Amino acid sequence: MTDFIATSAGQRATFLCGKSWTAYVSTFVIAVLLFFAALPLAFKYNARAAFVVLIGSALIVGYRLLTIRSYQLYIDEAGVWLASGILPWKKKLMGVKWRDMDEAVYETNFWSWLFQSYTVRVSQRYTQDIEIHATGMARGKDAVAAINARQQEMLQGSAIVV
C-alpha cells in the first residue's frame, strides 16, 4: 500500500486497489466468441467482412480491457475516491470526504473469498447512502481495513469532528 499517485490538486494519494482478475473474465469470454466464432464465420462470407469483424472485435475488447483497468480506489488527505473511465466524457470520480464518511465495508461470499475479489462499499454518514460501490476489487479486504484505520487515526487526532 505504498503506491502513490498524483491528484489534480497536487496532493499525494495512496493507491489501495484496482479490479481483480475476475473482472476480466467476461471480457475474455467475449473475446473468445468474437475472435474464434464471429471471425471464422466472417471469413466464410468474404475477406472484407472478416477485416471489419477483426477491427471491430479488437476495438471492443481493447476498450473493455482499458475500462476495467482504469478503476482505482485511493485515499488522500481529503477522503476516499474511486476513479474510472478512459474517454474524457466517460471519466468519473466518486468519493466521500473523511468528515462525511460513515464506514467502509466489504462483502464476501464463497466466490469472493475463493478468488480474493471483494465488493467494496463506502457509505456516507448523514444519508446512509452508498457513495462508492465497487465490485470485483483485488485486495478489497485490505483496502477496507486501510480506509477504516485511516478514519480512526483521523478521528483520534481530532482531524475529523464527529
Side-chain angles (χ1 to χ4, degrees), residues 61-155:
V61 170
Y63 177 74
R64 287 181 59 102
L65 289 174
L66 291 174
T67 300
I68 293 169
R69 187 161 165 69
S70 72
Y71 280 82
Q72 295 182 341
L73 183 67
Y74 63 92
I75 58 174
D76 62 9
E77 292 83 22
V80 182
W81 310 97
L82 178 67
S84 65
I86 55 169
L87 298 174
W89 57 89
K90 294 289 256 180
K91 286 189 177 187
K92 289 191 289 189
L93 181 64
M94 299 178 288
V96 180
K97 293 184 179 180
W98 290 117
R99 63 177 180 180
D100 299 334
M101 189 180 122
D102 183 28
E103 65 180 350
V105 296
Y106 65 91
E107 292 180 4
T108 184
N109 59 32
F110 176 72
W111 298 112
S112 65
W113 169 79
L114 183 64
F115 297 126
Q116 300 294 303
S117 172
Y118 299 97
T119 297
V120 175
R121 294 177 187 258
V122 180
S123 58
Q124 191 176 38
R125 180 188 322 179
Y126 303 110
T127 62
Q128 298 302 315
D129 287 338
I130 295 170
E131 295 293 326
I132 297 176
H133 178 257
T135 60
M137 301 300 282
R139 298 188 334 251
K141 188 176 180 180
D142 299 333
V144 166
I147 291 168
N148 288 329
R150 178 74 182 267
Q151 184 187 28
Q152 288 302 314
E153 178 183 297
M154 294 181 87
L155 281 171

Side-chain angles (χ1 to χ4, degrees), residues 7-57:
T7 61
S8 59
Q11 301 170 340
R12 286 175 46 144
T14 304
F15 174 78
L16 297 176
C17 64
K19 288 285 190 175
S20 172
W21 67 270
T22 58
Y24 293 92
V25 170
S26 64
T27 302
F28 177 74
V29 170
I30 289 172
V32 167
L33 290 174
L34 289 173
F35 290 113
F36 295 109
L39 191 58
L41 287 174
F43 263 117
K44 289 183 179 180
Y45 184 68
N46 69 24
R48 185 172 290 160
F51 181 71
V52 170
V53 169
L54 177 67
I55 297 299
S57 299

